[in-house]
């Protein structure tokens, strides 16, 4: 892998991590704080974007930069799991299960829509 690709991964990854933070904070400031709507918004939009990338059939370095560097740095599986654990501990098992199911349904649906749109472009 060349130095420009490594630099692209670093720059895109950093930008995407900041974008994740900004979107999460923006959504959280405008919603009920007990449910992790910010993380849901981030991961749902990441699922859509990754579906779009797959639908566009990117390969090689373009896939690495768009998929792993950009979308991988933007999405946040670990925060989703930590917030699910917090919901289970603080609000009960039902809240944690709702977070898991809603995130999965919306995420898979968003990825499917993104893939369909990407394939049509």
């Amino acid at each position: 892998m060349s130095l420009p690709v490594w630099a692209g991964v670093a720059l895109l990854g950093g930008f995407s991590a900041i974008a994740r933070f900004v979107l999460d904070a923006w959504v959280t400031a405008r919603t009920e704080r007990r449910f992790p709507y910010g993380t849901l918004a981030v991961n749902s939009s990441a699922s859509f974007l990754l579906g779009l990338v797959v639908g566009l059939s990117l390969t090689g370095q373009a896939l690495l930069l768009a998929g792993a560097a950009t979308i991988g740095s933007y999405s946040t599986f670990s925060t989703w799991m930590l917030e699910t654990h917090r919901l289970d501990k603080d609000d009960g098992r039902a809240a944690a299960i709702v977070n898991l199911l809603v995130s999965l349904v919306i995420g898979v649906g968003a990825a499917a829509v993104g893939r369909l749109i990407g394939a049509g472009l």
Side-chain angles (χ1 to χ4, degrees):
M1 194 175 324
S2 67
L3 183 59
V5 172
W6 278 107
V9 168
L11 289 172
L12 290 169
F15 173 77
S16 296
I18 292 168
R20 172 183 68 215
F21 176 78
V22 168
L23 178 60
D24 187 1
W26 186 83
V27 170
T28 299
R30 287 158 180 76
T31 59
E32 174 190 342
R33 295 188 182 207
R34 299 209 43 92
F35 191 84
Y37 290 107
T39 300
L40 178 63
V42 167
N43 286 340
S44 299
S45 59
S47 295
F48 171 79
L49 292 171
L50 192 55
L52 188 67
V53 165
V54 169
L56 291 170
S57 300
L58 297 182
T59 59
Q61 292 178 347
L63 179 60
L64 171 71
L65 291 170
T70 305
I71 302 166
S73 295
Y74 173 70
S75 65
T76 178
F77 180 82
S78 57
T79 301
W80 176 44
M81 290 297 100
L82 181 64
E83 288 173 342
T84 300
H85 175 71
R86 180 195 51 81
L87 284 171
D88 183 40
K89 185 176 179 182
D90 296 347
D91 297 328
R93 181 105 352 133
I97 291 170
V98 166
N99 186 41
L100 288 171
L101 292 177
V102 166
S103 295
L104 286 170
V105 169
I106 291 175
V108 170
V113 168
R115 188 172 185 177
L116 285 172
I117 291 171
L121 295 177

